[in-house]
Amino acid sequence: MFDNPSPAHGRRRPRRHPTLLGRILLWMIVPLFVLWSIGIVITYFISLNIANSPYDKTLTSHLRLLRHEVEQQRLTAGVTLSESARTVLSGNGDEAPTTWQILDANGHLMAGNPNVPTPENWTYDIDQIRFRNATLDHQSIRLAYLWGGRDRDGTGFLTVVAEPAQARATLQQEILTGMLTPQLIILPLAAMLAGLGLTQGLEPLSLLQEHMRRRKPSDLSPIRDDLAPAEIVPLIDAMNNVLQRLSASIESQRRFVANAAHQLKTPLAGIRTQCEIALREREPSRMRDSLQQLITGSQRATRLVNQLLLLARAESLDPNQSRTTEQLDLYALAEDCTGEWVATALARGIDLGFESPDEPLPVFGNRTMIHELLNNLIDNALLYTPAGGQVTVRALPDGDRVCLEVQDTGPGIPPDEQSRVFDRFYRILGHEAEGSGLGLAIVREVAEHHQATIDFPPPGNHHDPVSAGTRLRVSFPRDNVPRTRT
């Protein structure tokens, strides 16, 4: 025995689709935050440069001042700064004092504070001021050094000045705070306004959704787009196209059901009548006649049903889609189809012939549908041609088109009724031939799908001098791809 699956395993959870608003906001906010992060990094370096620039200028002036003081003295006798130089280097109450030292060419201390870090890998570029960050007594400092000074004895020396970096860091923090604070306030507001704007911008989609929900299932009328934004109009056009095709499909099905119900009444009623007659008959000969009528009626009903199904299939072909890209030889197709009707023509005492030049007649099309088109043309011609008459099938080229012709020696079709014979169930009055009136309607549907034209040329020509009867021609576009018939 098998256990019943639990509801949790037997029922699939509905799939959650991402919302359009969520996707747009995701593609807006994520890049916005990425750009904002990059902006923070750029802002940091800009604030660092802004904070260092005035302090580095001050440090440069102190460096040049110290160098000038030392150049006026002899390093061997020691360095004594003037009162003004000491005042400048000591700073005021708001500024930290500048620490300094003098080094010889070998990096040995000649004067100044020995705790100032010696510049690493300093070069002997004359009058080139260098800056670097270092640490002194566990405190960050900013160094500036300059080579090329010479005392009164001509001894070269390296001038080094240093000051604490606290003031720079404070200034940089103030700059960052001033620049980032507005961004931190504006960014959430911008995200909120973007979400609000998108919500309002997508309101037409919500209205369209509500409009479609309120529609009745039978309402297939086009959706109005007069109040829709330009971006939604193509979507509405596509939906209207679907509604139009759906309406045409439903109408085609409705017509098919109505036609089938209407046309099947007569043969089914006849079959029922013959059954009742056969049940009442006692003589074998009369019963056999009734059974023969039953066979004939069932054949007519079968033929009618097949034609109705074929007509429904032809009507359901989408004219907007390209034709089937099957390459056909109309010569071979017409020859085979004509051969299938030879036995029927002989049984009715009709001469059925086929004429065509011995050359391939290439076309693009649906083999089954074109075969049924020709079947209906031949069937219609045999139906209206009396015994002893002639029916001729032709496949011939005509410039950039390929033609199928069926000519008979029947009573013909009056010119004023030639356009009406393609209507469903239309039959010319005064003819006793049995038929459903669907054959030429099927021919028209198949021809329209293959972009073919239908006309009625005069029956007589130099090949067939008979002027009576009907000559119907269907012209297909020629397939210009060269091919040979095997």
Side-chain angles (χ1 to χ4, degrees), residues 286-438:
R286 293 183 178 181
M287 185 178 296
R288 187 180 299 109
D289 291 340
S290 297
L291 294 177
Q292 185 62 44
Q293 292 296 328
L294 283 174
I295 294 175
T296 304
S298 63
Q299 290 176 344
R300 290 179 57 191
T302 301
R303 174 62 176 166
L304 177 60
V305 170
N306 290 335
Q307 285 191 315
L308 285 170
L309 291 174
L310 183 61
L311 180 61
R313 180 183 176 188
E315 288 179 340
S316 64
L317 295 175
D318 189 354
N320 296 323
Q321 295 180 352
S322 60
R323 291 170 293 133
T324 306
T325 56
E326 181 182 2
Q327 197 174 44
L328 308 174
D329 185 357
L330 207 60
Y331 172 94
L333 183 63
E335 186 178 32
D336 294 342
C337 187
T338 303
E340 297 173 1
W341 287 89
V342 171
T344 303
L346 291 175
R348 298 180 182 180
I350 299 174
D351 181 14
L352 176 62
F354 176 72
E355 298 178 1
S356 180
D358 189 13
E359 64 178 69
L361 302 175
V363 295
F364 271 131
N366 187 304
R367 179 182 298 273
T368 302
M369 300 304 293
I370 295 179
H371 188 275
E372 288 299 326
L373 175 145
L374 191 52
N375 275 339
N376 281 276
L377 287 178
I378 298 175
D379 183 28
N380 193 72
L382 294 176
L383 194 64
Y384 286 92
T385 300
Q390 298 178 1
V391 174
T392 305
V393 180
R394 301 186 183 93
L396 62 157
D398 184 16
D400 60 347
R401 303 185 74 83
V402 177
C403 302
L404 278 177
E405 283 189 3
V406 176
Q407 181 174 349
D408 61 61
T409 57
I413 302 175
D416 57 343
E417 296 193 36
Q418 289 181 353
S419 60
R420 299 187 59 190
V421 295
F422 296 100
D423 296 339
R424 299 178 187 85
F425 311 113
Y426 180 80
R427 299 180 62 189
I428 300 176
L429 298 178
H431 292 272
E432 298 180 356
E434 296 181 353
S436 62
L438 291 175

Side-chain angles (χ1 to χ4, degrees), residues 7 30 48 66 107 125 158 161 180 182 191 205 257 310 331 391-392 402 441 469:
V30 172
L48 183 62
L66 179 61
D125 296 332
L158 176 69
V161 294
L180 295 181
L205 287 179
V257 173
L310 183 61
Y331 172 94
V391 174
T392 305
V402 177

Side-chain angles (χ1 to χ4, degrees), residues 245-264:
R245 287 183 291 170
L246 181 61
S247 177
S249 177
I250 294 176
E251 181 62 26
S252 175
Q253 294 178 5
R254 186 181 294 112
R255 287 199 306 268
F256 172 77
V257 173
N259 294 336
H262 176 72
Q263 293 298 319
L264 289 175

